[in-house]
Every structure is written in structure tokens, then in C-alpha cells.
Amino acid sequence: MKGLIVLSSTERLPGGRSAGFWLPEAAYPWRALLAGGWDFEFTSTRSGRPPAGGIDRSDPPQRMFLEDPVVQERLEHTRTPDLLTPEDYGIVFVAGGHGAIIDLPGDERLTAFLAAYWASRETAVIAAVCHGVAALLDVPGPDGAPLVAGRRMTGFTRDEERAVGLDQVVPYFLGDALTERGALYEAGEPFRSHVVADGALLTGQNPASAADLARRAVELASGRPLPRHWLRRSAPVTR
């Protein structure tokens, strides 16, 4: 069993503010995959190491992510989505960070991969958090309509963008973009965990949602619960 974690390669937002992927939104899925007995891989819109932001070394999962030699080696050799085979993965996570709304929805290789992955098996699970939900905006479903159409979803809100001072910087608001494509957008309280599941498509509103989203997605794909202390438990990588 192998899970894929999608990361943004955008280094800067318009105006120069640093971007990249939000590190805890990759670290928590990584921990959930290991705790569930899964192997893992990264992909990004450019090969090689993608830029990271939101780093908090006082958080054990993030510290373990940064200190794990397998993680670091695989980040250095991240491949683009067109070099991957959708059938190789049983679950796909999309990490957020403001960079994700810039490069993920516009990357035709990622869009094609996600469409093929979703159509490849009945048990395909996609979990996207915060700005990572943008990767799903232009993905077609098996019937050609937007994958998000008619689905309950969430993502970083307009109020949250305003609170972090980026409402005048981001090119669009996720809630608006999802609604325009027919999604049933739901917003919870700002900066509180809020996860929405529509079948095998799971979305988390913000960074606070990352741990709950990761747990629920791996448990759905595995068909069994994770260990109680999965965020802190040492778990070997399945190779």
C-alpha cells in the first residue's frame, strides 16, 4: 500500500510573500500513512525539493518529518505527476499552503493524474486540506463534469484569508471557485478543525483540520482505525 502526498512548488505569492506547501499539512498525512502501515511518496509541480512554510519544530510530527532521512531523501527527488502511475496509489493527499492555489489547479499533469486516479478504482480516496483543495478545481469526473460538482466540500474561507491579511493577494477565494463549479461549499468556524467527507472525497478547511483529515482518510482507505497515539507513535515504513 502506498499513499501519495501532493505538494506545491510555488515559492512566492504575488507581491513577494513566501509561499510553498504548509509543512504540517504534509507531516500529519505522512504520520497517518506510517501508522497505518503504508509507504509514501511525494509529488510536486516541479521535480526536486519543493519549498516549505509554516514550520513549527516544537510540534513532534513536524520535527519527526524534518529529521526523518527517508522523508528528506524523497523530498529531494520528488517527481512530477506525469511520471507517476495512478494505479500505484491507494490514497492521495493534497497539502495546502498559499502556494497551492497558484500552481496546483493550473498544472495539467496533476489534473490529468487526479482524474485518472479517481477513475482507476472504486476505492480511490482523495483528501485535500486548506488551499490544497484548489488542486481539485479543474479535475473532470468520469462523466466529464467537474469532479467537485454536487459534492459537499470545504476549504480555506474568505474570512480566514482576511484574518491572515491575504484577501487582497490571493487570485481567488476557494469557496467562490468551488461554488462556481457546482460544489456544495461548507465553512466551519475560522481556524477550527472542520472536515467534510463526501464518499471517498475528503476536504479540510484549514491547517487545524490536517490531523483529523489525515486520520479519517487513512482509516477509510485501510478499513481499520489508526493506533490511538498515531501522531507520536514510532512506526516503520512499509517498503
Side-chain angles (χ1 to χ4, degrees), residues 7-9 20-21 43-44 46-52 75-76 78:
L7 307 172
S8 169
S9 294
F21 72 92
T43 188
S44 54
R46 292 200 305 267
S47 59
R49 178 179 287 271
L75 283 175
E76 287 291 342
T78 295

Side-chain angles (χ1 to χ4, degrees), residues 59-113:
D59 180 34
Q62 294 185 58
R63 186 170 63 251
M64 288 185 284
F65 184 91
L66 291 167
E67 295 175 354
D68 188 277
V70 177
V71 169
Q72 297 311 307
E73 190 274 335
R74 294 183 185 182
L75 283 175
E76 287 291 342
H77 299 93
T78 295
R79 297 185 292 166
T80 52
D82 55 310
L83 300 178
L84 307 179
T85 301
E87 293 79 8
D88 288 347
Y89 305 94
I91 186 170
V92 172
F93 287 101
V94 188
H98 276 87
I101 63 172
I102 304 296
D103 63 339
L104 298 192
D107 192 287
E108 294 181 356
R109 300 164 301 178
L110 178 59
T111 296
F113 173 87

Side-chain angles (χ1 to χ4, degrees), residues 1 32-39 218 222 224 226 235-239:
M1 297 184 295
L33 287 168
L34 293 191
W38 293 64
D39 199 353
V218 170
S222 303
R224 61 181 184 275
L226 292 184
V237 176
T238 302
R239 292 188 175 90

